[in-house]
Amino acid sequence: MPKVHFLAPHPLFGRVNNRLADTYQKRSPYYWWWAYLRRSEAYLQCCADGGAGALASLYADFGDVREDNFHKWWTAGQRGVLLFAEQKLEARFGELVSPDQWNAAWTEDDVMIVAVPLRESNRRLKGKFAKLLDSRLHRTRGRPALAKVTQTARYPLAKNYTVQNLERTLEAYDRWVANQSLPKPERKTLWEIGVDMRFNRDASKQALSKTSAERLLGRNMLGAHVRRYVSQAEKIIKNIENGVFPSDK
């Protein structure tokens, strides 16, 4: 299989007889793309209907996600590569001797075009080029905003992310959904879910304080945390139905 490139860390599975722990899969945003898609009731219904319905075009690419097996889903028909790998950049180091060699798809993030006055000395040209190259590469260091990066994957990442936040947000959403399915007398309040998730140690202590003002402050803070995470998750799930991830707008 040709070498492929992903803009973000791809999931690691290990070898057939020596599988890595699931945590290696969860380090990749593509794992969380799959995980959030599995929370979409509309998409799950599409899967149950054999790929028919409003999300049929998305199903044609992502397939059935109902089975809780990310490795199987990712590797089936090289799905992960086809969906998320960057397209090979058709640019080789060398001289352009004809306008036909110019590729309109090149961007300044990928290729640098330089005019070289050949009448200057070899030493002077090397010095200038080294200085230019150092300046150009220095400018592109660090983690740029994904929204501003040229991405060629079929499904590019919509914005920068942290795996920790994606995981935490989905955990809060799953806890909330499970809580809502309980009989009303057995349901926890949002602040109690916040205590369970250990969002804020001080707020958790305040929520159980004997002082009513402190209790109110702590419970409001914890409830707001949970409410915000659930809201973010719902927006991410809605956007993922349009092939966009991660986006909470």
Side-chain angles (χ1 to χ4, degrees):
M1 178 180 172
K3 187 175 181 180
V4 295
H5 169 66
F6 294 90
L7 191 65
H10 61 81
L12 300 175
F13 303 104
R15 300 183 181 278
V16 175
N17 297 321
N18 187 24
R19 290 294 183 204
L20 294 172
D22 289 350
T23 52
Y24 286 88
Q25 302 174 24
K26 294 179 180 180
R27 294 175 183 177
S28 170
Y30 308 121
Y31 170 89
W32 296 105
W33 194 315
W34 169 82
Y36 275 86
L37 185 60
R38 298 184 72 235
R39 270 60 173 191
S40 166
E41 293 183 6
Y43 192 77
L44 291 178
Q45 186 60 53
C46 181
C47 292
D49 294 338
L55 300 181
S57 59
L58 191 67
Y59 181 89
D61 290 334
F62 284 81
D64 196 333
V65 298
R66 288 176 296 172
E67 184 176 357
D68 190 13
N69 189 329
F70 176 67
H71 175 262
K72 182 177 179 180
W73 176 85
W74 176 272
T75 55
Q78 298 185 1
R79 181 181 281 120
V81 172
L82 294 176
L83 296 182
F84 306 120
E86 297 295 303
Q87 301 300 310
K88 185 178 179 181
L89 178 64
E90 296 298 334
R92 295 183 179 181
F93 185 87
E95 178 184 3
L96 300 185
V97 297
S98 166
D100 295 337
Q101 293 178 280
W102 170 264
N103 188 334
W106 289 342
T107 70
E108 64 173 347
D109 292 324
D110 302 315
V111 180
M112 181 171 66
I113 309 299
V114 181
V116 181
L118 296 177
R119 293 183 180 181
E120 292 197 29
S121 69
N122 187 39
R123 180 179 178 181
R124 187 176 178 83
L125 287 175
K126 285 183 178 180
K128 284 185 174 182
F129 186 73
K131 190 174 182 180
L132 175 63
L133 188 61
D134 182 66
S135 172
R136 185 70 169 80
L137 294 179
H138 178 74
R139 229 169 51 220
T140 57
R141 287 174 188 165
R143 188 181 183 188
L146 288 176
K148 297 181 180 180
V149 172
T150 300
Q151 300 185 62
T152 59
R154 186 165 188 174
Y155 287 90
L157 292 166
K159 68 172 186 177
N160 288 57
Y161 65 92
T162 66
V163 164
Q164 182 182 16
N165 188 61
L166 291 174
E167 183 171 12
R168 198 72 163 151
T169 300
L170 193 58
E171 180 188 356
Y173 177 78
D174 285 345
R175 284 177 180 265
W176 176 77
V177 170
N179 187 61
Q180 291 298 104
S181 68
L182 295 173
K184 204 165 186 178
E186 298 177 21
R187 293 179 192 173
K188 292 184 177 182
T189 60
L190 291 181
W191 72 263
E192 287 175 316
I193 295 176
V195 170
D196 291 343
M197 292 190 66
R198 301 177 182 178
F199 275 133
N200 185 301
R201 183 180 298 177
D202 291 336
S204 295
K205 289 181 179 179
Q206 289 177 326
L208 302 175
S209 173
K210 294 180 179 179
T211 306
S212 60
E214 284 193 354
R215 279 201 309 274
L216 182 61
L217 180 64
R219 293 178 182 187
N220 285 345
M221 185 179 297
L222 291 169
H225 271 300
V226 175
R227 194 176 297 108
R228 183 174 69 252
Y229 275 114
V230 171
S231 177
Q232 287 178 347
E234 289 177 330
K235 291 175 182 176
I236 291 173
I237 293 168
K238 190 63 180 176
N239 284 313
I240 214 170
E241 293 171 358
N242 295 317
V244 178
F245 178 86
S247 177
D248 56 5
K249 294 182 178 180

